Amino acid sequence: MSLKVGMSANPIPPLELTVAQAMQAESDGFDSIWYPDHLMGWFPKSLWTIENSSIVSLLPSPHVFLDPTVVMTAVGAATSKVILASGVTDPIRRPPAELARTFVSLSHATQGRAILGIGAGELENTKPYGLDYRFQVSRLEEALHIIRLLWDSSGTVSFDGRFWKLDRAVFDTPAYQGELPPIWIAAHGPRMLDLVGRYGDGWYPSYPMTPAEYGSKLGVIRKAAQDAGRDPEAIIAGYYMYVGLASDHDTAHRLLSSPLAKAMALVAPSEQWEAVGRKHPFGSDFQGLRDYVPEWYSSEVLQDAVDSFELDVLHDTVLHGTVEEVVTQVEPFIEAGLQHVVFGNLAPLAGMEYIPDSQEGLRKVAANLR
């Protein structure tokens, strides 16, 4: 299959603006748009200041997120081709039966263009809101099993699970034109990769890895699919990749060294810092997104952590540079099996002045990769 190119977009108000951006992305030829499902963002309010980035004048808080399923419905009515996905949701905040119904409904609302992007969840979206984050992978595994049970059912469904129990449940809502929405799973570790092979239609990782590591993990997924009696080649290999596009390499470095880009580096696991000889400011066992709740740290601790950042922490794990350089950085992943790349544009973090060049650059990258 030819390479598909998507983009990540924050679902923010006004809704009309988010819909207009999606219409532009479809017009620009992007194949997919992925909307994160967050209650809280990755950036603390103490660092989200106009002194750190002019983007704050447009978005006063880093914690503004509309419900992606509502946004996908509105965007689906305004577009006709682009694929729309949650990037990603979880079964902690949205139980499996509700996920099953919501995404079949979204498939109808988008004329079959909805993807259920799902993962095990994150601490910042659960524990601060009174939700139990323990056993998150086991919970995801059971949720995937239940979603498939409901979607494949032709009568009542009973299931005695660890987290959910179904007692003669029914799911009679028909799939759009007989096609169920694909499930893409955000997976990195061995157990999660196994879940992709057993339940997923697509793989949607986001953690940094080399092309060799990407190919190896994809091999684990395909082996798990084969062992489960599924077609391993039917699982689409995706990758969510951050990108800092600029007119020249030095400008891209300034983008990656901007205050909010530095703050984003705090989300990286300690092993990413250690790979370049640095110590993560939150300790050697820090697991990145799994452990990070930005509003649980004092402004002093956060500022000290940001001040410890050096460019090499992000340099080899974030695509950056000119259009030609970014294309060259993606190509080894295509050779390793990548089929659907999704770009997360870091330029707005550095400031609104970076946005026009980066958006035009993304359009050119997408065209060149195809």
Side-chain angles (χ1 to χ4, degrees):
M1 62 177 289
S2 60
L3 183 75
K4 302 290 186 183
V5 182
M7 59 177 285
S8 177
N10 283 342
I12 59 175
L15 179 58
E16 294 81 2
L17 174 61
T18 295
V19 171
Q21 290 173 333
M23 293 171 67
Q24 184 64 54
E26 180 176 74
S27 177
D28 289 341
F30 285 93
D31 296 294
S32 62
I33 306 174
W34 297 70
Y35 294 105
D37 188 1
H38 278 269
L39 293 172
M40 182 185 296
W42 295 341
F43 301 93
K45 284 186 176 181
S46 63
L47 296 178
W48 195 263
T49 65
I50 196 66
E51 292 78 17
N52 284 340
S53 175
S54 58
I55 194 65
V56 175
S57 63
L58 179 65
L59 192 64
S61 170
H63 305 312
V64 177
F65 295 93
L66 297 174
D67 185 325
T69 63
V70 175
V71 170
M72 289 167 64
T73 300
V75 171
T79 57
S80 60
K81 296 182 295 183
V82 68
I83 295 167
L84 304 171
S86 55
V88 294
T89 189
D90 65 72
I92 301 175
R93 292 171 294 157
R94 302 178 188 265
E98 184 61 26
L99 283 169
R101 180 184 68 161
T102 297
F103 279 83
V104 166
S105 301
L106 280 170
S107 189
H108 283 270
T110 61
Q111 305 83 46
R113 292 178 286 129
I115 288 177
L116 168 53
I118 191 169
E122 298 161 355
L123 194 69
E124 66 172 12
N125 289 317
T126 52
K127 194 168 183 180
Y129 301 95
L131 298 171
D132 189 351
Y133 185 59
R134 296 175 301 164
F135 315 114
Q136 66 271 27
V137 177
S138 295
R139 193 186 304 266
L140 173 64
E141 181 174 8
E142 187 168 302
L144 291 167
H145 182 71
I146 290 172
I147 291 169
R148 291 294 190 194
L149 276 179
L150 292 172
W151 281 354
D152 295 339
S153 65
S154 58
T156 61
V157 178
S158 295
F159 176 75
D160 186 16
R162 178 181 177 185
F163 303 100
W164 295 279
K165 299 182 186 301
L166 277 58
D167 182 5
R168 290 157 290 183
V170 294
F171 190 89
D172 288 346
T173 305
Y176 177 77
Q177 295 186 352
E179 294 290 332
L180 289 164
I183 298 176
W184 286 44
I185 302 173
H188 304 94
R191 188 175 172 195
M192 290 289 290
L193 296 173
D194 180 71
L195 291 182
V196 180
R198 291 194 286 125
Y199 293 103
D201 301 296
W203 177 38
Y204 192 62
S206 61
Y207 278 18
M209 62 186 107
T210 66
E213 290 169 334
Y214 183 89
S216 176
K217 290 178 184 290
L218 181 57
V220 172
I221 290 170
R222 301 225 188 274
K223 174 65 163 54
Q226 187 173 31
D227 290 346
R230 305 180 69 217
D231 179 4
E233 299 303 319
I235 299 174
I236 299 174
Y239 198 178
Y240 176 45
M241 307 178 87
Y242 291 108
V243 60
L245 274 161
S247 56
D248 58 80
H249 205 80
D250 288 342
T251 301
H253 281 182
R254 288 195 295 274
L255 190 160
L256 294 184
S257 299
S258 63
L260 293 184
K262 291 180 181 180
M264 197 196 75
L266 300 180
V267 181
S270 57
E271 61 186 27
Q272 183 175 333
W273 288 62
E274 292 166 1
V276 292
R278 306 285 178 186
K279 182 178 179 181
H280 198 292
F282 296 153
S284 60
D285 59 348
F286 184 73
Q287 297 297 311
L289 279 179
R290 199 181 76 181
D291 294 344
Y292 188 56
V293 182
E295 299 301 338
W296 284 4
Y297 300 89
S298 70
S299 58
E300 293 78 16
V301 167
L302 287 165
Q303 190 59 58
D304 287 346
V306 166
D307 290 343
S308 69
F309 170 88
E310 295 291 344
L311 180 60
D312 56 2
V313 173
L314 293 180
H315 188 275
D316 293 339
T317 58
V318 172
L319 306 173
H320 68 281
T322 65
V323 169
E324 293 75 16
E325 288 171 332
V326 168
V327 169
T328 298
Q329 293 163 31
V330 174
E331 285 174 341
F333 290 92
I334 300 173
E335 294 171 3
L338 174 64
Q339 297 167 305
H340 195 137
V341 61
V342 178
F343 292 120
N345 187 4
L346 294 182
L349 297 179
M352 294 178 65
E353 59 273 22
Y354 287 88
I355 294 177
D357 283 349
S358 68
Q359 289 181 331
E360 177 60 25
L362 275 179
R363 286 191 285 269
K364 291 180 178 178
V365 166
N368 287 352
L369 285 172
R370 292 195 193 91

